[in-house]
Amino acid sequence: MQMQEKESSGTNEFGKLEVYFFDVGQGDATLIMQGSSVMLVDGGDNLHAWQLVSDLTYLGIEHLDYVIATHPDMDHIGGLDVVLEHFSCDQILMPECEKDTYSYREVLSVIAEKKIEAVVPKVGDVYTLGTAEFTILAPEESYEEINNNSIVFRLTHGNKSFLFTGDAQRESELAMIREENQLRSDVYKAAHHGSRSSNTELFLLTVRPSYAVISCGEDNEYGHPHSSVLNMLRFMGVKVFRTDE
């Protein structure tokens, strides 16, 4: 998906914002570009790592200003070790939770080897990406369920807004609503591949997106996206894009 600010006086002071949602099977990987500034959100699983590197190379990527590893599940960070081996990176944002898996250890190994600055962002932190900026909205606290520790952030560029939620589930969603975060967004990256354990009715009604993007694998074993989520988005008049289609 590519979105460009509407010109109000013959010029566009914000420039162009490009957001690419990659098909990485039952996983997540999103590239955000504004001018010469580039950010990768998650890196898919191990099986799709080389395809993701190929896609980034095709788009002319040589350097990443930020990488956000929303949480340490393999389908989100499995390909990041390969990506970080091939592209230089200034800073990686990760939540304060760990997972004892080969994929997670490999990512930590590359971060140490490449001396990449690793940061645990706090709710309310604001980062700039060219003329865009993004604000960290979650996790507000530490959860036993690792999905709820997903980094959630809202990116704005002029009058356009995107909400990225990782695999955050209803506990994290309710916390964001309770804290009265700014959640209203034009484009909603559906949480947890469109699972009903996330994307609660109250959360969707608070976000009120015009577009939703669901990243999931074709005929996946989890039945993602779940019909209740699709029905709710349809009821709200949201236009849905799916990587499996």
Side-chain angles (χ1 to χ4, degrees):
M1 175 180 290
Q2 300 183 46
M3 299 187 72
Q4 185 168 2
E5 297 305 310
K6 292 182 179 179
E7 299 181 7
S8 58
S9 58
T11 60
N12 182 357
E13 62 178 310
F14 295 104
K16 183 168 68 170
L17 178 72
E18 297 176 86
V19 182
Y20 295 86
F21 300 90
F22 296 106
D23 178 3
V24 288
Q26 185 64 15
D28 267 27
T30 305
L31 183 74
I32 304 170
M33 302 195 310
Q34 202 300 299
S36 60
S37 300
V38 183
M39 175 167 69
L40 180 68
V41 185
D42 289 330
D45 60 18
N46 303 76
L47 294 175
H48 292 84
W50 289 104
Q51 180 59 53
L52 180 57
V53 167
S54 177
D55 289 340
L56 294 175
T57 301
Y58 175 79
L59 291 170
I61 303 304
E62 297 179 351
H63 175 76
L64 298 164
D65 295 83
Y66 303 100
V67 166
I68 296 182
T70 59
H71 64 297
D73 278 352
M74 185 271 290
D75 56 327
H76 289 252
I77 56 95
L80 284 183
D81 57 329
V82 177
V83 169
L84 293 173
E85 286 280 7
H86 282 77
F87 305 99
S88 58
C89 175
D90 290 335
Q91 190 176 90
I92 182 166
L93 278 58
M94 307 174 73
E96 196 169 15
C97 64
E98 301 179 350
K99 197 164 188 178
D100 186 20
T101 62
Y102 174 80
S103 294
Y104 184 66
R105 290 192 296 271
E106 281 295 290
V107 172
L108 294 183
S109 177
V110 175
I111 290 172
E113 175 192 339
K114 298 289 185 179
K115 295 182 171 58
I116 300 169
E117 181 185 9
V119 174
V120 177
K122 296 182 175 62
V123 170
D125 287 351
V126 179
Y127 297 82
T128 58
L129 184 75
T131 57
E133 68 175 30
F134 59 97
T135 303
I136 305 299
L137 303 181
E140 181 70 49
E141 58 185 275
S142 179
Y143 295 92
E144 182 177 350
E145 168 55 60
I146 201 165
N147 286 332
N148 280 317
N149 293 295
S150 292
I151 292 175
V152 177
F153 67 96
R154 182 174 182 267
L155 179 137
T156 58
H157 184 248
N159 63 356
K160 296 288 190 274
S161 52
F162 293 72
L163 184 64
F164 294 86
T165 55
D167 278 358
Q169 296 183 322
R170 61 172 53 88
E171 291 84 359
S172 181
E173 292 179 352
L174 288 173
M176 284 185 274
I177 295 171
R178 190 167 56 245
E179 293 300 317
E180 298 183 348
N181 286 300
Q182 173 58 271
L183 295 169
R184 172 74 179 92
S185 300
D186 299 302
V187 182
Y188 171 59
K189 173 65 177 54
H192 202 186
H193 321 288
S195 171
R196 59 177 168 261
S197 64
S198 310
N199 311 290
T200 57
E201 180 176 352
L202 180 59
F203 192 71
L204 291 177
L205 290 172
T206 304
V207 178
R208 289 186 292 130
S210 298
Y211 305 93
V213 179
I214 300 174
S215 183
C216 60
E218 186 176 7
D219 298 324
N220 66 84
E221 62 182 297
Y222 308 101
H224 294 158
H226 289 143
S227 58
S228 58
V229 175
L230 293 175
N231 288 339
M232 184 62 188
L233 291 170
R234 188 177 300 114
F235 172 78
M236 293 173 61
V238 179
K239 186 171 184 179
V240 175
F241 297 87
R242 294 169 52 170
T243 60
D244 63 332
E245 296 181 344

